[in-house]
């Protein structure tokens, strides 16, 4: 079916302009001046469904390059079907899933299995990162150089490196392996930076003080800023030495922002990600939310939050990754040491960004950049992430004048909860298209048939 999105405002990284958008055969067919009368468009495109968008804005659908959809191995709390539906409800039309599943995605065979599992089941377009470990460097190099088991460099987004604790065997603490990984030129190297030794020492200190009843407010002291800074400094120093295409994930401190700035001054091609969680919450929220905002790296101070907001406005932050990481509430309600880290958030990422933008005077062009365009460029995602003629019709329509409270009954997450419940956020996502299929209508996921396609990289 063809569509005419009439009279809205098209938001891109370059400009915000009144425009009408014509969709046909899964693509953006035309982006036209708003001055063309609707009657003329209807006569030129007979049979097309018309959406009158006066007062609404159109963004390229979001590309979230940092999610944990828990499949395989943890599907009691989330899966590709449920979480991709939540993504689309939040205006995210493409995702790239992280490799710390059970088993971990550290081989071509495991990556192929995940791609096959997502086919026909994902509401959003889907892709996956390949995980690094101390013992799979040869596998990674073989995939990059000539392909293996039907998997090539075009089949995955980047190479994920944990320089801190992680699920399974994915902690990379062998310096020779790190050196080789950082020497890779053909892919983004995505790094989770926390120093494991510092974290373990901080846990011992907390246990000696609190016993087995550690308060969740201690999380930002245990997964401390020092742990982040030391690990990020090592990653950036190694990247500067090798010229690595380093993507520093979920930045949470002022100091890491300054290190990114300094690395860029040395012509290191480093890019920076943060999440909506770090832009919204601060350490003062542990008292009311406790384990619900326990995530790694930890949420830090109000000063850090404000610095991240400024970095978003100034262009130092390149991408927003939700770090969507669902757990069941009964799991999160355990005591500190056994309550898992991570929170569901992908459905709220765009409304949080729009609310922060309104609060801080951040232009919507910046939101368009970090929400979709920069990730598309960074990972070389083919034909997606931009409002351009000929590109795939992945679109999010937003009523910028509407705001509402996050309600549990509106959540699409399999785990059934969100730390954002009760928060009043700006921007109601009214309609979402994936490959030209209208999956969200009047704010509700309306299609029972997934429309997501495999992302092609490079």
């Amino acid at each position: 079916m063809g569509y005419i999105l009439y009279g809205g405002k098209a938001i891109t990284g370059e400009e915000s302009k009144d425009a009408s958008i014509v969709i046909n055969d899964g693509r953006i067919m035309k982006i036209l001046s708003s001055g063309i009368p609707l009657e003329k468009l209807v006569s030129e495109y007979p049979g097309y469904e018309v959406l009158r968008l006066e007062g609404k804005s159109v963004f390229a659908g979001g590309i979230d390059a940092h999610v944990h959809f828990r499949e395989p191995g943890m599907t009691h709390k989330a899966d590709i079907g449920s979480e991709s539906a939540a993504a689309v409800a939040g205006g995210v039309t493409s995702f790239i899933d992280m490799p710390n599943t059970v088993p971990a995605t550290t081989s071509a065979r495991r990556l192929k299995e995940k791609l096959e599992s997502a086919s026909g089941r994902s509401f959003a377009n889907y892709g996956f990162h390949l995980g690094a470990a101390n013992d799979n460097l040869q596998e990674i190099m073989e995939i990059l150089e000539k392909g293996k088991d039907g998997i090539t460099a075009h089949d995955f987004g980047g190479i994920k490196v944990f320089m801190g604790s992680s699920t399974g065997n994915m902690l990379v603490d062998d310096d020779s392996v790190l050196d080789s990984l950082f020497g890779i030129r053909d892919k983004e190297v995505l790094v989770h930076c926390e120093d494991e030794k510092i974290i373990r020492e901080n846990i011992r200190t907390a246990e000696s003080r609190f016993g087995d009843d550690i308060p969740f407010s201690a999380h930002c002291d245990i997964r401390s800023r020092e742990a982040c800074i030391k690990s990020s400094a090592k990653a950036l120093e190694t990247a500067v030495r090798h010229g690595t295409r380093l993507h520093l994930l979920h930045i949470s401190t002022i100091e890491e922002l300054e290190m990114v700035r300094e690395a860029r001054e040395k012509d290191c091609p480093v890019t920076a990600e943060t999440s909506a969680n770090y832009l919204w919450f601060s350490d003062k929220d542990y008292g009311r939310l406790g384990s619900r905002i326990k995530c790694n790296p930890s949420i830090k101070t109000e000063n850090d939050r404000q610095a991240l907001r400024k970095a978003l406005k100034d262009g130092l932050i390149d991408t927003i990754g939700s770090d969507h990481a669902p757990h069941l509430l009964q799991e999160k309600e355990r005591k500190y040491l056994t309550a898992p880290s991570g929170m569901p958030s992908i459905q709220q990422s765009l409304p949080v960004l729009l609310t922060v933008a309104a609060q801080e005077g951040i232009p919507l062009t910046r939101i368009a950049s970090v929400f979709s365009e920069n990730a598309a460029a960074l990972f070389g995602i083919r034909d997606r992430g931009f409002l351009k003629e000929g590109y795939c019709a992945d679109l999010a329509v937003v009523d910028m004048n509407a705001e509402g409270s996050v309600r549990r009954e509106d959540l699409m997450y399999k785990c059934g909860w969100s730390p954002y419940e009760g928060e009043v956020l700006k921007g109601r996502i009214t309609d979402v298209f994936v490959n030209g299929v209208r999956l969200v209508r009047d704010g509700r996921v309306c299609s029972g048939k997934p429309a997501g396609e495999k992302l092609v990289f490079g």
Side-chain angles (χ1 to χ4, degrees), residues 27 93-96 111-112 114-116 118-128 149-157 380-384 392 394 434-435 451-457:
R27 299 267 172 168
T93 56
S94 299
F95 67 85
I96 313 178
L111 180 60
K112 187 174 183 179
K114 285 182 78 170
L115 286 166
E116 290 171 348
S119 178
R121 295 178 52 229
S122 182
F123 288 86
N125 304 304
Y126 56 90
F128 302 95
D149 295 334
I151 295 296
T152 72
H154 295 298
D155 295 311
F156 66 97
I381 298 173
R382 192 171 298 170
D383 291 349
R384 301 189 190 276
C392 296
D394 300 334
V434 179
N435 296 306
E453 298 178 356
K454 175 188 169 185
L455 297 176
V456 179
F457 302 95

Side-chain angles (χ1 to χ4, degrees), residues 80 86 106 147 169 195 233 248 272 331 352 358 379 400 418-419:
I80 287 170
T106 54
N169 69 333
D195 186 85
L248 198 60
E331 297 171 323
V352 169
F379 296 102
M400 300 296 297
S418 167

Side-chain angles (χ1 to χ4, degrees), residues 37-106:
L38 179 58
E39 295 76 12
K40 179 176 172 57
L41 291 178
V42 170
S43 66
E44 288 184 8
Y45 303 100
Y48 283 44
E49 183 174 341
V50 176
L51 279 71
R52 300 183 70 106
L53 301 185
E54 287 87 349
K56 296 179 182 177
S57 298
V58 183
F59 293 83
I63 298 176
D64 192 336
H66 191 158
V67 306
H68 302 270
F69 281 1
R70 304 305 192 198
E71 187 175 335
M74 295 171 277
T75 53
H76 65 287
K77 61 184 81 179
D79 60 51
I80 287 170
S82 64
E83 307 314 287
S84 66
V88 169
V92 175
T93 56
S94 299
F95 67 85
I96 313 178
D97 188 63
M98 287 296 174
N100 50 324
T101 48
V102 182
T105 315
T106 54

Side-chain angles (χ1 to χ4, degrees), residues 176-188:
S176 65
V177 172
L178 279 175
D179 251 11
S180 295
L181 289 169
F182 276 64
I184 291 171
R185 292 286 185 274
D186 299 329
K187 279 288 179 181
E188 297 295 324

Side-chain angles (χ1 to χ4, degrees), residues 122-157:
S122 182
F123 288 86
N125 304 304
Y126 56 90
F128 302 95
H129 296 300
L130 184 64
N134 283 330
D135 60 358
N136 75 332
L137 179 62
Q138 184 175 345
E139 175 94 0
I140 291 171
M141 299 310 294
E142 185 174 348
I143 294 169
L144 289 174
E145 290 170 5
K146 59 183 180 181
K148 184 178 181 181
D149 295 334
I151 295 296
T152 72
H154 295 298
D155 295 311
F156 66 97

Side-chain angles (χ1 to χ4, degrees), residues 4-16:
I4 301 170
L5 279 57
Y6 183 77
K9 191 174 289 292
I11 312 294
T12 72
E14 295 181 348
E15 62 181 343
S16 172

